[in-house]
Amino acid sequence: MYCDNGKIYIEEDDQCVDCRNYAKGVSCPLLTALGLGVVYLEDSLTVENCGFFEKFERKLHIVRNNETDNID
């Protein structure tokens, strides 16, 4: 995670990428504090042990539509 010109960027190494709350847009305390300027990020930070974190797993499956599968 790093800041650039007042914007917060999440990197692939950050735990936020797999967080259910982040994916749903729930207000994260860390991101809120950074956004409001309550805390400042002077360098980069890798988020690893966040107490707000909830694992988000995508579960995809193929849905077949028999009407379109039989097109001649």
Side-chain angles (χ1 to χ4, degrees), residues 12-26:
E12 289 184 21
D13 293 341
D14 290 320
Q15 195 176 40
C16 308
V17 172
D18 294 329
C19 181
R20 177 186 314 272
N21 295 311
Y22 180 71
K24 289 186 174 183
V26 175

Side-chain angles (χ1 to χ4, degrees), residues 51-67:
F52 189 68
F53 175 80
E54 288 184 30
K55 181 73 175 170
F56 176 67
E57 295 181 24
R58 298 180 193 276
K59 295 186 173 141
L60 303 175
H61 61 277
I62 297 173
V63 178
R64 291 192 157 274
N65 184 342
N66 290 332
E67 293 177 16

Side-chain angles (χ1 to χ4, degrees), residues 1 8-10 16 22 26-37:
M1 172 182 304
I8 303 163
Y9 294 92
I10 305 295
C16 308
Y22 180 71
V26 175
S27 184
C28 168
L30 176 58
L31 295 177
T32 301
L34 287 167
L36 293 175

Side-chain angles (χ1 to χ4, degrees), residues 1-4 7-11 14 41 43-45:
M1 172 182 304
Y2 64 95
C3 292
D4 186 28
K7 293 183 181 178
I8 303 163
Y9 294 92
I10 305 295
E11 298 184 276
D14 290 320
L41 187 59
D43 200 1
S44 63
L45 166 75

